[in-house]
Amino acid sequence: MSLFKKRSKESERLKELVREKYGQIAKEAPAPGQAPPKPPPPSCCCCAPSASPCCAPAPDPSAATYYAEDVAGLKDAYEKLEGHVEEADLGLGCGLPTQHAGLVPGQTVVDLGSGAGNDVFIARSVVGETGRVIGVDMTPEMIDKARANAARRGFANVEFRLGDIEALPVDGATVDVVVSNCVLNLVPDKAKAFAEIFRVLKPGGRFCVSDIVLEGQLPAKLRQAAELYVGCVAGALRAGEYLGLIRKTGFAGVEVKASKKLDLPDEVLLGHIGAEDLAAYRASGASVLSITVVGTRP
């Protein structure tokens, strides 16, 4: 088997893994009009009794997150934003991309990995009736959930499209702003994903992405762990590599607007590496960061 075919096969395997996990989350999400259950309180600084990834619960979609304290604060911030829809907020993000996106009335906005629609609805509240917001997600169950949430509120200027971020179902140079929240780290070919963002943006268009990146190096066993890939960790790039990739795509004005260190609890890591490797990882100073990045298509 050629190297290209091996990479293609691995890419499809990872996509199917993500699609399966997020499909399960959508199935267990509250129905339109019903609020999601509150997460259990964290048992220590940033972990909960039953740990699961920042962006995708595994194996239990109702379990608390790796970053319970951080995500709880994020949820509180989200709830204060105009347009927030409680049943569409599944707690899967790692930032507030709409906050730094420079949204104004009348714009066309695309949300990548739109899930149940929360960031789409928040963007809609800013761009208004003269604007348009398109959500793209590769999970059919999430698309169905988002469409139901929009239909219940009678939103006529939002649309949810089933599609792949590496091949967006959006025409070129038609979009003012692209946003995404803790999703691009799940995309196997990140260069292709940013190339697609560049393609769909109008000249002068802007993106704002919240994502997970690394400072330092994760141990090999953590990088290979499927659970941590679905949880936005194993698939993350180093911060410098991530920003360099964006600049190489052709974007100008690339800037980190927000950054926060996130803690991976020992009990989670010990499920994948031994105590000696854990000690070495802690001593290395490596860390996992949530960042929000902006850039402009010239």
Side-chain angles (χ1 to χ4, degrees), residues 108-122:
T108 295
V109 180
V110 170
D111 177 24
L112 306 182
S114 50
N118 195 39
D119 282 313
V120 168
F121 302 141
I122 290 170

Side-chain angles (χ1 to χ4, degrees), residues 85-97:
V85 173
E86 189 168 9
E87 64 264 33
D89 183 359
L90 304 183
L92 305 178
C94 59
L96 296 170

Side-chain angles (χ1 to χ4, degrees), residues 33-44:
Q34 295 182 357
K38 297 292 183 183
S43 59
C44 59

Side-chain angles (χ1 to χ4, degrees), residues 14-23 138 186 229-230:
L14 291 172
K15 286 181 183 179
E16 187 55 38
L17 178 66
V18 171
R19 190 179 289 114
E20 177 184 340
K21 291 295 184 182
Y22 280 82
M138 71 172 185
L186 298 170
Y229 185 90
V230 176

Side-chain angles (χ1 to χ4, degrees), residues 16 20 27 45 57 72 74 91 107 119 141 174 212 279 281 290:
E16 187 55 38
E20 177 184 340
K27 289 175 182 176
C45 63
L74 182 62
Q107 288 178 324
D119 282 313
E141 294 87 351
T174 59
I212 299 296
Y281 168 66
S290 165

Side-chain angles (χ1 to χ4, degrees), residues 4 7 33 63 94 96-97 117 168-169 178 205 227 264 275:
F4 174 79
R7 287 177 175 174
C94 59
L96 296 170
L168 289 171
V178 171
E227 177 188 341
L264 291 171

Side-chain angles (χ1 to χ4, degrees), residues 171-207:
D171 291 338
T174 59
V175 176
D176 297 297
V177 180
V178 171
V179 296
S180 187
N181 198 345
C182 209
V183 172
L184 294 182
N185 50 74
L186 298 170
V187 177
D189 192 336
K190 295 171 181 59
K192 189 176 289 186
F194 277 107
E196 278 293 275
I197 293 174
F198 192 94
R199 180 185 67 81
V200 302
L201 282 171
K202 300 173 183 176
R206 176 183 176 93
F207 78 83

Side-chain angles (χ1 to χ4, degrees), residues 130-176:
T130 60
R132 182 185 182 203
V133 188
I134 301 167
V136 177
D137 203 286
M138 71 172 185
T139 307
E141 294 87 351
M142 282 295 187
I143 291 293
D144 291 343
K145 182 67 65 176
R147 287 172 177 168
N149 285 332
R152 182 175 181 271
R153 285 162 179 77
F155 293 157
N157 61 335
V158 301
E159 178 185 356
F160 294 94
R161 300 179 183 176
L162 183 65
D164 195 319
I165 292 175
E166 296 165 329
L168 289 171
V170 180
D171 291 338
T174 59
V175 176
D176 297 297

